[in-house]
Amino acid sequence: MLDDFLVRGVLAGLGVALAAGPLGCFIVWRRMAYFGDATSHAALLGVALALALSVPVFASVLAVALLLAVAVSQLAARGFPVDTLLGVFAHGGLAIGLVVVALMGGVRVDLMAILLGDILAVTRSDLAVIWGGAVLVIALLAWRWSGLLTATLNADLAQASGIDPRREQLILTLALALVVAVALKVVGALLISAMLIVPAATVRPFATSPEWMAVLAALAGMASALAGLALSYQLDAPAGPTIVAVATGAFAVAAAAASRRD
Amino acid sequence: MPLIEAKDLSVSRGGRPVLRHVDLAVERGEIVTIVGPNGSGKSTLLQALIGALKPDEGRVTRVPGLRIGYVPQSLHIDATMPMPVGRFLRLPHAHDALSRTRAMSTVGLEPDVEAQQMTALSGGQFQRVLLARAILMEPDLLVLDEATRGLDQPGTAAFYKIVEEVRQALDCGVLMVSHDLHVVMSASDRVICLNGHVCCHGTPETVASAPEYRALFGFGTQGTLALYRHAHDHVHDDDHSHDPRGGCE
């Protein structure tokens, strides 16, 4: 069954959506959308470095994403506004990554695949990395769920309950870096944060508790991945953008339904 | 041994000293209230006590395993986060339905409020839910940071009556920051007047016997301003020693 590239593509899409949905809820709740953007754009720099240094792409992207998070929090502590920092890092990472890739003239790099994903080229070992990463992210969120929620609600409230909000922030950063690293192949560097934010935003009007919202976001993301892949196959359109387009369509329908209900 | 004790605590924020050489201790079973003008470091002091801020100097000692029930000054719940009351009460630790109902009835809320979203509550209900959550933690020390902000006078009075009942029931210490001076006089065992440093402390009677406070009686709500003016007007001498019995200087 795994010999079929379509089946592998579907499984890859489902794996990414499963992890991105619940994590995306935290990104939305904490207003970290630009953080997700910066991390995923900087992933291109990770790919470029992996090619230049001949190290595995997954490890390189993970390292760059974590370095970015550390750099942003260090500079923010020195008084730089966070949105400015994220703007600098998002586009700086993208630009430097593009330059490095272009300079590696000898290596044939499919730039479009990095930027937009290449879900139908997912191999068995890619699939193992994607599902391994997805399960790790879900396990991380489930393990720290209560602390993450409390710290997201109010840092002082968490601190008084014996929860270190900085540690919870670090765990979210780690989970974000993992999702970016596993999603790169599926939706590409430009569209990863859409997989985080769009499903969470879509299900918000129908969720009555944080747990429900996380489950619904995972389901909405997975449904978008399935429908998007099917549509891209029909239209012969690139898979990653089609998945995000379908997810955005679902958001529009959900928002309309919610405003009609109120 | 006090539940929590700050010794010679100094904290600065953004290079500006906010607290200078503050000493403070709360014993089990007593209600200690901190009053002071805006910007006097009241919230900073609470944050340093709960461990959210690292002091530059001095230290905070807690009884080992001290459980703190914290009611923040304001809690903004982002509109993107669905949070029913019943779920909020179980953050970060699970509590069974019976103890949740008990805590809700202690703060004067019906059990069916649990199904409502936090964002749909009135100001008074919201503060009561915050208090119910703090009670559920079975705290040794209840810390309230201007917990009645935005409540009207009867609402404030009712809120502090509940705090008094909780102190009785749990035999916990209570440390609160308050703007409601009539509450300071009626419900506190000790009052600490803070203005960057402890400029005045003692029993409510000691504080009340200060001429500044006498002037405060009979002026109604203007009394609040009178006390703050006293805090602003005198020249602070950082090296002065405090009378152990307290008093306003």
Side-chain angles (χ1 to χ4, degrees):
Chain A
M1 187 181 82
L2 290 179
D3 292 335
D4 189 329
F5 71 96
L6 259 183
V7 173
R8 289 199 301 269
V10 166
L11 288 176
L14 292 179
V16 168
L18 178 66
L23 179 63
C25 292
F26 282 104
I27 304 288
V28 168
W29 294 334
R30 299 172 78 111
R31 312 229 153 178
M32 285 169 65
Y34 287 109
F35 200 85
D37 250 355
T39 312
S40 51
H41 288 184
L44 182 68
L45 183 58
V47 176
L49 289 178
L51 293 172
L53 306 172
S54 305
V55 293
V57 172
F58 180 80
S60 173
V61 169
L62 200 60
V64 168
L66 288 175
L67 271 177
L68 174 124
V70 171
V72 168
S73 61
Q74 290 290 323
L75 288 171
R78 286 186 205 165
F80 282 97
V82 173
D83 61 337
T84 304
L85 286 174
L86 292 176
V88 170
F89 280 97
H91 302 108
L94 199 59
I96 296 169
L98 287 169
V99 170
V100 173
V101 168
L103 290 180
M104 311 258 309
V107 190
R108 286 188 303 138
V109 185
D110 185 355
L111 197 57
M112 286 305 272
I114 301 170
L115 292 176
L116 302 177
D118 193 4
I119 195 170
L120 299 181
V122 165
T123 63
R124 278 163 175 264
S125 61
D126 288 337
L127 211 50
V129 169
I130 288 170
W131 273 89
V135 168
L136 193 58
V137 167
I138 296 288
L140 208 55
L141 294 184
W143 172 50
R144 300 297 316 165
W145 185 260
S146 194
L148 286 170
L149 265 188
T150 312
T152 297
L153 210 55
N154 184 286
D156 288 344
L157 204 68
Q159 189 79 52
S161 315
I163 297 162
D164 184 352
R166 280 156 302 192
R167 186 183 55 199
E168 306 305 322
Q169 171 80 47
L170 195 69
I171 285 167
L172 277 183
T173 305
L174 182 65
L176 182 62
L178 273 168
V179 164
V180 167
V182 302
L184 191 62
K185 188 105 188 185
V186 175
V187 284
L190 290 181
L191 294 173
I192 291 172
S193 61
M195 288 303 286
L196 290 163
I197 293 157
V198 180
T202 303
V203 301
R204 169 61 187 98
F206 312 104
T208 49
S209 72
E211 288 76 15
W212 246 126
M213 185 160 156
V215 170
L216 289 177
L219 291 177
M222 289 162 92
S224 299
L226 277 179
L229 263 178
L231 192 63
S232 81
Y233 191 69
Q234 291 268 319
L235 301 175
D236 195 21
T242 313
I243 291 173
V244 174
V246 168
T248 308
F251 169 79
V253 172
S259 65
R260 177 176 280 238
R261 191 185 51 176
D262 289 338
Chain B
M1 185 182 176
L3 291 171
I4 194 162
E5 188 171 23
K7 276 215 168 116
D8 198 29
L9 199 70
S10 294
V11 181
S12 55
R13 285 185 131 171
R16 194 176 64 88
V18 180
L19 294 175
R20 298 184 307 271
H21 310 293
V22 170
D23 292 326
L24 177 149
V26 183
E27 304 276 351
R28 185 172 285 282
E30 71 170 345
I31 298 184
V32 178
T33 304
I34 304 169
V35 297
N38 288 334
S40 61
K42 304 186 296 283
S43 290
T44 303
L45 178 55
L46 290 193
Q47 283 185 311
L49 289 172
I50 64 172
L53 277 179
K54 288 251 178 300
D56 301 330
E57 271 180 68
R59 59 197 171 89
V60 175
T61 328
R62 304 163 172 212
V63 165
L66 179 77
R67 277 196 304 271
I68 296 177
Y70 177 65
V71 178
Q73 189 179 71
S74 60
L75 182 67
H76 171 74
I77 295 185
D78 199 280
T80 57
M81 186 194 257
M83 182 56 75
V85 172
R87 182 68 188 93
F88 179 75
L89 292 177
R90 288 183 280 119
L91 276 178
H93 304 297
H95 303 283
D96 58 58
L98 183 67
S99 34
R100 290 206 306 273
T101 308
R102 240 192 339 244
M104 292 284 277
S105 91
T106 304
V107 299
L109 290 175
E110 297 295 325
D112 59 5
V113 175
E114 275 206 43
Q116 288 186 31
Q117 290 291 319
M118 291 291 286
T119 44
L121 299 178
S122 71
Q125 284 177 319
F126 195 95
Q127 293 308 114
R128 283 164 190 243
V129 170
L130 291 184
L131 183 59
R133 178 191 165 276
I135 295 170
L136 271 169
M137 301 186 72
E138 296 178 0
D140 306 300
L141 178 67
L142 200 56
V143 177
L144 311 169
D145 188 359
E146 285 181 44
T148 58
R149 207 157 73 151
L151 298 192
D152 59 13
Q153 208 120 21
T156 302
F159 189 88
Y160 284 115
K161 195 159 168 288
I162 296 166
V163 170
E164 168 63 32
E165 287 164 13
V166 170
R167 189 258 302 249
Q168 296 280 350
L170 297 179
D171 189 32
C172 59
V174 178
L175 178 64
M176 58 191 185
V177 164
S178 177
H179 271 310
D180 313 294
L181 289 174
H182 61 284
V183 172
V184 171
M185 289 303 132
S186 62
S188 308
D189 299 311
R190 281 194 297 128
V191 178
I192 292 169
C193 183
L194 193 72
N195 195 10
H197 65 288
V198 177
C199 61
C200 165
H201 69 106
T203 63
E205 291 75 22
T206 318
V207 175
S209 69
E212 291 88 350
Y213 200 85
R214 286 222 187 108
L216 199 143
F217 275 118
F219 283 94
T221 51
Q222 286 180 329
T224 311
L225 295 173
L227 182 73
Y228 289 172
R229 201 166 296 126
H230 124 79
H232 275 312
D233 279 355
H234 63 275
V235 177
H236 291 303
D237 177 6
D238 284 346
D239 297 317
H240 61 208
S241 57
H242 286 296
D243 181 344
R245 281 169 292 128
C248 282
E249 60 230 52

